[in-house]
């Protein structure tokens, strides 16, 4: 363990204790590392736990720029949490990969991983080697996955009867804020998927579904547009707002004078050139328009901008046009309308045009916003879900929720096996894993049993979030499952009166669940295998501040002869002494030419300083007499804090040694010229207050003494103390500015 | 935020420095505190006797530095105060959406949402789960909207009656604004303007021009269109039966746009020749424009001296630098095309109007187009003593126009003055009585929150709200009546003619419930560390 505590002073003479050396690296290993990983993972999982299930709560995320996101989606929460801890980051990755792969269950996977790690902690305490735990988990995961396959049911996938699919989508949407219009949203998601699903290949191309949001209206106004919606309008305000039977030219070349890519110069040397160029330019524009007109198009969609002239030419030729349409949208339009993206005007032919039955502008509210809606396309399988909602956050959240629902339905199309949700399949797996555990002869048995317990964390969290007594309910369900041999029993979160998840139609996809278990296990294995972690150190400063305000009030002169002696001895100028005296008089509330403890405590900086009392102790005992300090003693004390930058300003008071001595005295209260463990402890406790546990302070103290103590007497001598602070510019740190 | 501390003295900071998390009760507390603070802030502006706020922009910099704003408009107030509380931001957002969507009711929606949350505080302390409250609220919202729907009236078929309704709505909306003294006058102004749109919600063709000076009753509705530009020198200042060409074309020097071209000559003579060619090109262009047979030429871009002079010679009025919106609006109003090429004079559609003349408003000259073809356009000229009054008047007029145009679209109306809220509150209370389970408490709280709106209106007017509201509640059992703000008594809103748009009321209830629900669902507030400020190097 490197240096734990060093004392330093900042430029105002305020002592700062630096835990851990600044230039050394942090390193953790062994059981310590495991424990710290588990703690971090637990913290992340606990944050997410309350979002699980239909009764889960939302999180409000404040971004670095102060924007607000309110969400219930595990992956989104984690990605916006700005987790710094390394293990925390792994969990973020975990939920992200679940999101990429399955799209749903991102919260569940993190909760499961957290529970697995929590169980591992208990096993580690029992003295089981992490690798054995990891192996046990691996075995258990295999048992659980096999069991899942066994209890999975094949689900009817019928294009005519969408209800079962809608039920699944509803399970996913149940936990989101949009569950108010759960059915409508689920229906939209299902019909969107069915619209683009390729039943032959059993796959769904997500590129064909776009989710577009627009603030305003209500959630109920959300619609599925079988076509494309883009956030653009016609380029000229006088173009018709509606085109029927549009033949669309999709261009990726700008309506601008040609701009060759190679570097060139075109010099105009005489009037003819000028005129010719003018003609050429004009020709170019009419050529462009003509080529479009010739192809038979009656709508132009362009990725780039138009020149004013081109824009007007288009208008006068009755060619409505849309400009600055983004790349992905252009592609989507091309796919939807069956058109080809044309990069050059010359290549435009009538076969390359896309077709849409109805293109029109949508208006919203009072702001004059418009959107362009392209419907009845040639290839009708692209669709856009157009989300409306009362505010920005709800629209964003609805978009995320719909994405999850879409993913789930897609997964069903890919693989129509399902398991029952509401914790039913987790409980069933837990029972199975626990049963199998007893058959394992080796130490792994414990790990497998722990795995079974961890599996129950999901139904436990569900029950807890729904406001039930979690342990009682889960054990009830568990015993029922065994008694009835029915793996469909789960937690009745919504109080519907039955805990048969089939009756409630709470359905989850098999691949989603499988993925959750295997991803979580994988990650936990990985974390358990890390036993050493190094990272650049972060220094934690505990700052202790003591400054003595030098005041600025009117002056009362001390005795002339006193003044001279004082100046000689301390190196203060007469003016400084004068000012210090006035300060002294201000502090001296009783007007008796000396300061008491109470007077010093009135200095607010001293009062709030955790070491303030100690500081006064030092001042009173070492510099004053009988708990009083008079002006002469006061000024000798302050002389220690004069700057000693130049030889001439050095006096017996402000040498480096005497400055450090003052510090040393702060610790060494029995004046034996040694700081022993108890003295150090006392000061540390004062410094950190109640924030740090006593055990930890003791460890800091032990570490500090071990490190600084060179002669092995378990205490720090003044020489050792000075050596520690060797590199610190005591003069700089322990000086203050005296006003004149 | 400090991370957890382990045994081994290794603090585990989960979040980056500066980031952190508030959990459970703490989060809920800070959420409620934010919402209530925003609600209380804006509450006093509600109703016909609501007060205004002065907003002073940051003095330290920015374009509005030190500008004063006096307003009563909820959305404007909230958009100008920088709130830090995440939940307060949600409320600011709903008021903005309400403004975009309906244009008015921006205060009510925030106040209702915050009242709902105030009720929740009680429920939560009774240990009722937020999710139960939410499901209760959903039922309550449905019931409220349904009950409101039953009392709506639709007079859109009877034109006279409908116009009367619109007047009443405009008057109701205006009564809480600065224009209330002249509300009949402005209501008529706005209704006339909106009726000219023939059912369109696009407010673009209603232009509002603000001019300092005189007093507010000198504001008027100008038939036709006003353009805040000057006519070039030496040009006719008045043209009857104008044929107007609206263009968007460079009239300085028509640059060659082909990339990379530049002029390179070896003698001064050639420069002169080129200059001549350029000039000739411009002359060609002007000739072409004149061939359209127009006697007014309006361009979005600059018109240089030379073409200006050419136009003047031909007796054509040329107006330069009409901004983009102005040009679009002009084109719409005059029924012309915005033209950028001039080779096909026969195809180009010119704008027409009976008379163009320069008139004075206060001290400024503006160009007035009267007798325009489409007849949809009109201009409201606002006069007022100070800039603040003018700004506030413009916002009020905008609100009224928005509400009116939305009402034309969705012509159902309901009663204002707290009648609608009371009606919904009573319906929701009845639902609460019928509903079994804990949800009933939540539903009851919803009706209490609804009842708060008339209470606040009465409070703001300085009446004994508890007395009035209970009387009102009793009176509501039999008929739709609510209190008279002038006399502090209960009166029949149908007789007083205090009407509001159904669409507006519905949206207020729905958005407020949605926002409150959203806030209620939060149990964790997670803060990312603030982005470190980059030093601004632009000035160095």
């Amino acid at each position: 363990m490197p240096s734990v505590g060093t004392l330093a002073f900042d430029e105002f003479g305020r002592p700062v204790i630096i835990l851990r050396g600044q230039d050394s690296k942090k390193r953790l290993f062994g059981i310590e590392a495991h424990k710290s990983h588990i703690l971090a993972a637990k913290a992340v999982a606990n944050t997410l736990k309350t979002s699980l299930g239909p009764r889960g709560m939302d999180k409000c995320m404040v971004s670095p720029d102060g924007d607000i996101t309110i969400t219930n989606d595990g992956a989104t929460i984690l990605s916006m949490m700005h987790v710094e801890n390394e293990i925390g980051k792994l969990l973020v990755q975990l939920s992200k990969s679940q999101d990429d792969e399955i799209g749903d269950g991102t919260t569940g996977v993190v909760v499961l991983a957290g529970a697995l790690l929590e169980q591992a902690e208990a096993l580690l305490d029992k003295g089981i080697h992490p690798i054995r735990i990891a192996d046990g988990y691996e075995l258990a995961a295999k048992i659980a996955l096999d069991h899942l396959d066994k209890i999975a049911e094949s689900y009817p996938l019928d294009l005519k009867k969408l209800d079962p699919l809608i039920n699944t989508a509803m399970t996913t949407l149940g936990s989101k804020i949009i569950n108010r219009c759960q059915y409508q949203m689920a229906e939209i998601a299902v019909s969107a998927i069915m619209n683009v699903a390729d039943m032959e290949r059993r796959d769904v191309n997500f590129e064909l579904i776009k989710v577009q949001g627009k603030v305003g209206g209500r959630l109920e106004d959300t619609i599925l547009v079988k076509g494309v919606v883009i956030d653009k309008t016609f380029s000229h305000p006088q173009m018709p707002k509606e085109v029927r039977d549009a033949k669309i030219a999709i261009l990726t070349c700008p309506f601008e004078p040609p701009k060759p890519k190679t570097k060139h110069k075109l010099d105009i040397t005489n009037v003819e050139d000028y005129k010719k160029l003018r003609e050429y330019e004009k020709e170019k524009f009419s050529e462009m328009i003509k080529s479009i007109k010739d192809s038979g198009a009656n709508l132009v969609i362009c990725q780039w901008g138009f020149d004013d002239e081109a824009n007007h030419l288009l208008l006068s030729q009755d060619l409505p046009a849309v400009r600055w349409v983004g790349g992905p949208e252009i592609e989507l339009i091309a796919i939807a309308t069956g058109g080809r993206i044309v990069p050059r005007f010359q290549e435009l032919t009538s076969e390359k045009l896309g077709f849409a039955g109805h293109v029109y502008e949508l208006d919203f509210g009072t702001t004059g916003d418009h959107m362009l809606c392209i419907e009845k396309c040639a290839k009708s399988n692209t669709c856009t879900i157009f989300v409306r909602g009362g505010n920005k956050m709800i629209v964003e959240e609805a978009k995320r929720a719909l994405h999850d629902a879409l993913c789930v339905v897609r997964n069903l199309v890919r693989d129509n096996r399902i398991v029952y949700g509401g914790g039913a399949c987790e409980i069933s797996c837990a029972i199975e894993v626990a049963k199998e555990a007893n058959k394992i002869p080796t130490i792994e048995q414990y790990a497998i049993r722990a795995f079974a317990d961890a599996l129950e964390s999901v139904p436990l969290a569900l029950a807890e979030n729904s406001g039930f007594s979690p342990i009682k309910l889960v054990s009830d369900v568990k015993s029922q499952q065994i008694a009835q041999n029915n793996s469909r029993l789960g937690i009745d979160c919504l109080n519907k009166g039955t805990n048969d998840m089939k009756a409630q139609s709470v359905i989850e996809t098999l691949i989603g669940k499988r993925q959750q278990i295997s991803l979580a296990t994988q990650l936990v294995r990985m974390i358990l295998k890390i036993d050493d972690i190094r990272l650049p150190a972060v220094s934690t400063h505990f700052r202790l501040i003591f400054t003595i305000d030098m005041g600025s009030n009117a002056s009362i002169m001390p005795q002339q002869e006193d003044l001279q002696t004082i100046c000689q001895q301390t190196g203060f100028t007469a003016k400084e002494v004068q000012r210090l005296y006035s300060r002294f008089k201000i502090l001296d509330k009783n007007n008796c030419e000396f300061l008491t403890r109470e007077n010093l405590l009135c200095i607010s900086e001293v009062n709030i300083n955790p070491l303030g009392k100690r500081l006064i102790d030092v001042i009173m005992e070492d510099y004053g007499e009988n708990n009083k300090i008079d002006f002469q003693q006061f000024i000798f004390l302050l002389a220690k804090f004069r700057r000693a930058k130049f030889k001439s300003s050095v006096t017996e008071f402000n040498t480096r040694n005497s400055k450090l001595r003052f510090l040393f005295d702060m610790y060494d209260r029995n004046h034996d010229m040694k700081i022993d463990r108890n003295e150090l402890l006392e000061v540390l406790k004062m410094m950190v207050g109640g924030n740090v546990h006593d055990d930890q302070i003791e460890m800091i103290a032990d570490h500090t003494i071990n490190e600084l103590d060179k002669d092995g007497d378990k205490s720090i001598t003044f020489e050792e103390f000075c050596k520690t602070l060797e590199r610190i510019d005591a003069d700089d740190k322990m000086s203050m500015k005296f006003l004149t | 935020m400090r991370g957890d501390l382990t045994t081994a003295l290794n603090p585990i900071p989960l979040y980056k420095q500066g980031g952190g998390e508030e959990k459970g009760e703490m989060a809920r507390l800070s959420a409620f505190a934010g919402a209530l603070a925003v609600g209380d802030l804006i509450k006093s502006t509600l109703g016909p006797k609501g007060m205004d706020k002065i907003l002073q922009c940051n003095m330290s910099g920015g374009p509005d530095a030190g500008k004063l704003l006096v307003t009563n408009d909820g959305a404007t107030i909230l958009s100008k105060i920088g709130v830090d509380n995440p939940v307060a931001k949600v409320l600011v957002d709903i008021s903005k959406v309400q403004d975009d969507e309906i244009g008015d009711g921006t205060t009510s929606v925030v106040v209702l949402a915050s009242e709902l949350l105030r009720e929740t505080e009680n429920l939560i302390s009774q240990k009722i789960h937020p999710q139960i409250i939410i499901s209760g609220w959903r039922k309550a919202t449905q019931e409220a909207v349904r009950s409101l729907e039953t009392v709506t009236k639709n007079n859109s078929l009877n034109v006279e009656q409908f116009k009367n309704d619109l007047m009443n709505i405009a008057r109701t909306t205006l009564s809480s604004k600065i224009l209330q003294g002249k509300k009949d006058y402005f209501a008529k102004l706005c209704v006339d303007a909106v009726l000219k749109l023939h059912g369109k919600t696009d407010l673009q063709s209603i232009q509002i021009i603000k001019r300092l000076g005189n007093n507010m009753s000198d504001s008027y509705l100008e038939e036709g269109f006003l353009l805040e530009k000057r006519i070039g020198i030496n040009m006719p200042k008045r043209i009857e039966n104008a044929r107007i060409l609206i263009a968007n074309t460079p009239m300085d020097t028509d640059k060659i746009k082909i990339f990379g071209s530049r002029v390179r000559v070896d003698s001064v003579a050639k420069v002169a020749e080129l200059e001549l060619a350029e000039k000739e090109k411009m002359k060609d262009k002007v000739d072409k424009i004149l061939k359209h047979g127009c006697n007014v030429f309006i361009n979005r871009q600059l018109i240089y001296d030379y073409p200006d002079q050419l136009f003047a010679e031909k007796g054509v009025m040329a107006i330069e630098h009409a901004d983009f919106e102005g040009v679009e609006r002009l084109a719409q109003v005059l029924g012309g095309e915005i033209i950028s090429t001039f080779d096909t004079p026969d195809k180009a559609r010119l704008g027409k109007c009976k008379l163009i003349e320069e008139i004075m408003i206060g001290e400024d000259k503006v160009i007035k187009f009267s007798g325009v073809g489409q007849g949809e356009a009109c201009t409201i000229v606002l006069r007022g003593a100070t800039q603040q009054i003018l700004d506030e008047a413009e916002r009020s007029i905008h609100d009224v126009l928005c509400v009116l145009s939305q009402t034309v679209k969705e012509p159902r109306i309901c009663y204002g003055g707290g009648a609608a809220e009371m009606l919904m509150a009573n319906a929701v209370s009845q639902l609460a009585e019928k509903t079994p389970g804990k949800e009933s408490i939540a539903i009851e709280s919803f009706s209490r929150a609804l009842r708060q709106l008339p209470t606040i209106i009465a409070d703001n007017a300085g009446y004994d709200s508890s007395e009035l509201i209970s009387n009102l509640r009793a009176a509501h059992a039999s008929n739709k009546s609510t209190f008279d703000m002038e006399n502090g008594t209960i009166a029949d809103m149908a007789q007083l003619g205090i009407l509001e748009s159904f669409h507006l009321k519905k949206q207020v209830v729905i958005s407020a419930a949605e926002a409150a629900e959203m806030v209620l669902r939060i149990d964790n507030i997670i803060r990312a560390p603030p982005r470190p400020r980059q030093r601004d190097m632009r000035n160095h």
Side-chain angles (χ1 to χ4, degrees), chain A residues 184-225:
Chain A
Q184 186 196 357
M185 292 290 176
E187 201 178 5
I188 287 176
V190 171
S191 38
I193 291 282
M194 284 303 137
N195 207 20
V196 298
D198 183 346
M199 293 313 267
E200 307 259 301
R201 279 195 306 127
R202 285 196 158 270
D203 200 2
V204 176
N205 187 357
F206 256 25
E207 307 249 298
L208 298 178
I209 302 176
K210 210 175 142 212
V211 182
Q212 181 114 29
K214 178 94 190 163
V215 177
R218 322 181 280 161
L219 273 178
E220 281 85 348
D221 297 337
T222 302
I223 46 165
L224 178 70
V225 178

Side-chain angles (χ1 to χ4, degrees), chain A residues 507-526:
Chain A
I507 299 158
E508 288 186 66
T509 55
L510 174 68
I511 31 178
K513 268 281 156 316
R514 281 188 66 103
Q515 193 75 14
Q516 269 189 2
I517 293 179
S518 50
L519 276 178
T521 316
Q522 256 176 41
L523 180 88
V524 170
R525 269 178 66 87
M526 190 165 103

Side-chain angles (χ1 to χ4, degrees), chain B residues 474-492:
Chain B
H476 240 275
S478 45
N479 57 0
K480 318 175 265 300
S481 54
T482 179
F483 36 80
D484 184 337
M485 233 4 101
E486 301 304 326
N487 306 320
T489 52
I490 292 174
D492 189 343

